[in-house]
Amino acid sequence: MDITILGIESSCDDTSAAVLRNNVLLSNVIASQAVHVKYGGVIPELASRAHQQNIIPVVDTALREAGVTASQIDAIAFTRGPGLVGSLLVGVSFAKGLSIARNIPMVEVNHLQGHILSHFVDLPDRQLPHPDFPFLCLLVSGGHTQIVRVDSPLEMRIIGTTIDDAAGEAFDKCAKVMGLPYPGGPVIDKLAREGDREAFRFARPRVEGYDYSFSGLKTSFLYTLRDAVAGDPDFIERRKADLCASLQHTIVEILLDKLVRASKQTGIRDIAIAGGVSANSGLRDGIVEAGRRRGWRTFLPEFKFTTDNAAMIAMAGYYRYRQGEFSSLDVSPAARLEELA
Ligand code: KG4
Ligand code: ZN
């Protein structure tokens, strides 16, 4: 029997709704919030208000584009966390309202598991490559950097995580000190293409196991700029491309180093990446190259599934729905990963 899921994502600054039939994507609508650009970062209070304004038109559009009416939806999957509480609250409350109005179940989704399960979505006209279980997923976003061992759609174990900044945060913070617009990741990615990645050397972390750290790199980047600008006020402008290329190269090498070790030690060679930073061209090239050398099968998400989207939430919701894992009406957002089951 076909199962039609409406997915809702509102954890940060993108309001998104998607319709999925089994694992085939019928629509995926994303309203990005431009309001944060002038502040150089996401302002939680403004994000909640924008979600409140966007949610109904975004859901309406997603249903229309899918050619589905509200009465044809079997369940609503929503992001319960982690994320900004006020933003999550909009999606959670919307899901409750629709669940009561249509008498259909709600399924809560862990946003990070959603990113990982985006690898199982197919398009109406095209099957996408899916990893086999177990696989390792390098999950790299603005808030999280993890190596996750995925044994099934509902069984995942974090085997490495950042002890300070996330990879996306490292991109965004370094971009900010260079005076680049928010979010800095995509801007650095673009500038890096024109630069020499060997031009500068920045500090690399020494952390045990599969854990990551990016705060030392950030500090060393900052000191390099400070010392250089003291003698040459135009330094950043002149060397922007080289700075971006070297920074990106360092971040990618840090990410790959632990991933390679995790693959060696677990013997798992199906390797996926997910999350906003998985759009990064240096990381994508680096994973493919490492995979070629080590006999991995590598899985890079389509660009539309890298940053926050509701397709991945609907996908994760589909698997939970099939297990009968429904949420009750007293469910509330969980800002932190630790609060989620
Ligand atoms: O997954 P995501 O959309 O939101 C979170 O759940 O955090 O990730 C957003 C992050 C931001 O830090 C942004 O700078 C980064 O993904 N990002 C990139 C690129 N595109 C987005 N970082 C590096 N290169 C990119 N091309
Ligand atoms: Zn995300």
Side-chain angles (χ1 to χ4, degrees):
M1 197 189 70
D2 281 343
I3 296 165
T4 306
I5 306 272
L6 171 68
I8 306 284
E9 156 63 30
S10 69
S11 65
C12 189
D13 59 343
D14 295 301
T15 319
S16 180
V19 179
L20 201 66
R21 181 157 295 146
N22 304 321
N23 77 322
V24 177
L25 186 64
L26 303 184
S27 66
N28 184 34
V29 177
I30 304 172
S32 296
Q33 303 177 358
V35 60
H36 309 290
V37 174
K38 64 171 178 275
Y39 300 101
V42 176
I43 310 291
E45 176 64 25
L46 296 180
S48 324
R49 293 188 211 181
H51 282 303
Q52 193 75 293
Q53 289 171 339
N54 292 344
I55 188 96
I56 290 178
V58 164
V59 170
D60 262 347
T61 310
L63 290 174
R64 195 159 10 92
E65 286 185 7
V68 159
T69 62
S71 61
Q72 291 171 301
I73 301 288
D74 293 303
I76 310 147
F78 62 96
T79 304
R80 183 171 171 221
L84 303 170
V85 162
S87 292
L88 291 165
L89 200 52
V90 176
V92 174
S93 305
F94 180 86
K96 287 183 187 182
L98 194 62
S99 163
I100 295 169
R102 312 278 350 159
N103 194 25
I104 46 177
M106 292 190 294
V107 184
E108 65 188 69
V109 169
N110 170 334
H111 178 86
L112 302 175
Q113 295 188 355
H115 272 300
I116 294 170
L117 295 173
S118 67
H119 281 284
F120 295 91
V121 176
D122 279 328
L123 304 176
D125 58 344
R126 192 154 48 97
Q127 272 206 328
L128 299 175
H130 307 312
D132 283 336
F133 300 106
F135 67 92
L136 295 180
C137 185
L138 174 66
L139 174 59
V140 269
S141 73
H144 296 270
T145 300
Q146 303 173 339
I147 299 177
V148 182
R149 181 194 161 110
V150 188
D151 286 297
S152 81
L154 300 177
E155 289 166 286
M156 305 186 187
R157 198 153 48 85
I158 298 166
I159 61 174
T161 189
T162 180
I163 58 169
D164 42 56
D165 290 351
E169 219 172 339
F171 273 109
D172 295 342
K173 286 179 175 170
C174 291
K176 198 166 184 173
V177 298
M178 285 189 283
L180 301 175
Y182 177 86
V187 184
I188 289 182
D189 191 352
K190 202 156 158 227
L191 287 167
R193 283 170 210 168
E194 313 291 318
D196 171 10
R197 65 186 204 180
E198 308 292 345
F200 298 97
R201 288 199 75 76
F202 305 116
R204 282 156 203 255
R206 274 192 219 107
V207 187
E208 293 285 301
Y210 305 130
D211 285 343
Y212 288 111
S213 162
F214 288 98
S215 72
L217 165 64
K218 186 183 63 187
T219 308
S220 114
F221 185 80
L222 202 66
Y223 283 173
T224 302
L225 290 193
R226 193 196 57 183
D227 295 347
V229 168
D232 172 8
D234 295 329
F235 173 79
I236 297 179
E237 199 45 49
R238 226 165 24 76
R239 303 295 303 277
K240 209 180 257 174
D242 289 341
L243 285 165
C244 289
S246 303
L247 174 68
Q248 177 169 298
H249 181 57
T250 312
I251 294 176
V252 169
E253 289 211 315
I254 294 171
L255 289 171
L256 278 173
D257 175 50
K258 294 293 171 91
L259 188 59
V260 166
R261 278 195 228 180
S263 166
K264 268 191 196 152
Q265 207 138 73
T266 58
I268 298 175
R269 290 197 292 181
D270 266 23
I271 309 287
I273 54 173
V277 182
S278 69
N280 184 265
S281 57
L283 178 60
R284 292 171 87 95
D285 293 348
I287 291 274
V288 169
E289 177 53 32
R292 200 174 295 133
R293 277 207 308 269
R294 297 170 193 282
W296 293 350
R297 294 204 306 158
T298 50
F299 298 86
L300 311 179
E302 300 253 312
F303 282 107
K304 60 174 170 292
F305 299 142
T306 56
T307 43
D308 292 346
N309 65 85
M312 66 188 200
I313 302 305
M315 188 70 255
Y318 167 81
Y319 289 116
R320 291 181 72 97
Y321 178 91
R322 287 209 320 199
Q323 293 293 315
E325 293 193 19
F326 304 133
S327 302
S328 62
L329 278 172
D330 58 5
V331 64
S332 59
R336 286 156 28 87
L337 182 59
E338 294 72 22
E339 299 166 45
L340 285 159

